[in-house]
Amino acid sequence: MAFVDFELIKKNKLTQDVFELVFSCKDFKNSLPWQFITFMLPKTRFARAYSILKQDWENFYFIIKRLENWRWWSKEICDIDVWTVLKWTLPIWHFLVQENSKNKLFIWTWTWLVPLYFQIKYLLENNFRWKYKLILWNREERDLYYIDELNSLKCDNFDFEIYLSQENNNNFKYWRVWAFLTEENIKKFDEFYICWNPYMIDDAVSKLISLWVDKELIFMEKY
């Protein structure tokens, strides 16, 4: 298995437990908006995969949630110092966005935004002129991040809605993404992209199928 060096050049704390990590790699410059990289943690040598959020020339962006009591590897990666060099495998992919003339609905919560953000950004920057919508869910406003970046992508063929399930806030919708998944709303879309944990994805897929969505039109990445 081929490894390349990635050097952490910037670390931003986006929320109380979510970090944006920016790595530089001079040996690879052409990632695709559905790829993930598997890296070796410096202390434990544990291999862990994370999707790429975006790429800016030789800089690769990731968003990682630091979990205190489980998924201990997230603490190790979020706590590394700037200028630390990690060994990474070259990107691979599975969760593909379809480059076609179909309207698409993207569904996300927490840090599962990452591959969807890259996919949407790719479609918009490459002038695919169909309708795209992102539905976001989080618990409270303090848990939100990358909203300015999403606002910068808004245009005639892309918008997004935010749902908060534990805070009744006039600036956002109340409850979860299920509130958006109605027959009236989903008939506006031809394909559906979901990135979530396996249990929530299964629930979302069941909801879409109950609304007469063909399973072949639902694309998912389970973490």
Side-chain angles (χ1 to χ4, degrees):
M1 183 179 295
F3 286 88
V4 295
D5 289 341
F6 273 64
E7 183 177 31
L8 181 64
I9 61 171
K10 187 184 299 184
K11 178 164 61 172
N12 299 316
K13 191 172 185 179
L14 302 179
T15 72
Q16 59 185 348
D17 54 7
V18 173
F19 291 82
E20 177 192 63
L21 303 181
V22 185
F23 289 87
S24 177
C25 178
K26 300 183 184 301
D27 299 320
F28 185 79
K29 295 183 174 66
N30 296 300
S31 66
L32 297 172
W34 43 76
Q35 293 184 312
F36 61 86
I37 292 178
T38 301
F39 59 87
M40 301 295 294
L41 293 173
K43 295 180 180 178
T44 61
R45 308 303 296 168
F46 181 74
R48 178 60 184 169
Y50 280 99
S51 295
I52 302 169
L53 173 76
K54 61 182 179 179
Q55 181 186 356
D56 177 14
W57 187 233
E58 63 185 32
N59 296 334
F60 294 76
Y61 292 71
F62 299 83
I63 290 179
I64 300 175
K65 185 176 178 67
R66 186 185 187 279
L67 297 168
E68 189 66 38
N69 297 319
W70 62 299
R71 294 193 177 186
W72 52 266
W73 55 85
S74 69
K75 292 174 57 178
E76 185 172 346
I77 184 65
C78 288
D79 290 350
I80 65 174
D81 294 326
V82 173
W83 311 124
T84 299
V85 175
L86 301 183
K87 295 290 186 181
W88 300 66
T89 62
L90 290 174
I92 57 177
W93 59 90
H94 171 69
F95 185 39
L96 307 181
V97 66
Q98 306 299 304
E99 298 183 26
N100 53 32
S101 56
K102 293 185 176 181
N103 298 333
K104 306 181 194 302
L105 178 67
F106 299 84
I107 302 173
W108 153 79
T109 189
W110 298 107
T111 52
W112 290 288
L113 165 70
V114 171
L116 302 183
Y117 178 86
F118 203 169
Q119 290 176 357
I120 293 167
K121 192 170 184 291
Y122 171 83
L123 292 170
L124 296 174
E125 290 178 347
N126 286 276
N127 297 313
F128 288 90
R129 297 299 183 185
W130 300 91
K131 295 293 184 182
Y132 310 119
K133 191 176 187 73
L134 174 65
I135 304 300
L136 309 89
W137 162 52
N138 230 311
R139 292 176 180 169
E140 300 176 357
E141 184 174 5
R142 66 176 184 169
D143 298 318
L144 298 174
Y145 58 88
Y146 252 61
I147 304 306
D148 289 342
E149 288 79 2
L150 286 170
N151 276 320
S152 72
L153 296 179
K154 288 185 74 171
C155 59
D156 290 342
N157 57 321
F158 170 69
D159 68 350
F160 63 94
E161 291 185 15
I162 297 174
Y163 286 80
L164 301 179
S165 61
Q166 294 185 9
E167 181 179 333
N168 202 342
N169 186 316
N170 291 332
N171 296 321
F172 306 102
K173 307 278 187 178
Y174 179 65
W175 201 226
R176 298 191 172 107
V177 295
W178 316 122
F180 183 85
L181 299 182
T182 66
E183 184 175 0
E184 180 180 0
N185 284 334
I186 67 168
K187 69 181 181 182
K188 302 171 186 175
F189 303 97
D190 308 303
E191 292 179 344
F192 303 83
Y193 293 77
I194 311 171
C195 191
W196 222 337
N197 70 55
Y199 305 106
M200 300 302 285
I201 282 183
D202 290 343
D203 285 346
V205 171
S206 295
K207 176 67 172 178
L208 290 171
I209 290 175
S210 74
L211 296 171
W212 307 103
V213 173
D214 188 334
K215 193 172 183 179
E216 297 297 316
L217 301 176
I218 304 173
F219 303 91
M220 66 195 82
E221 184 75 280
K222 294 182 178 182
Y223 283 96

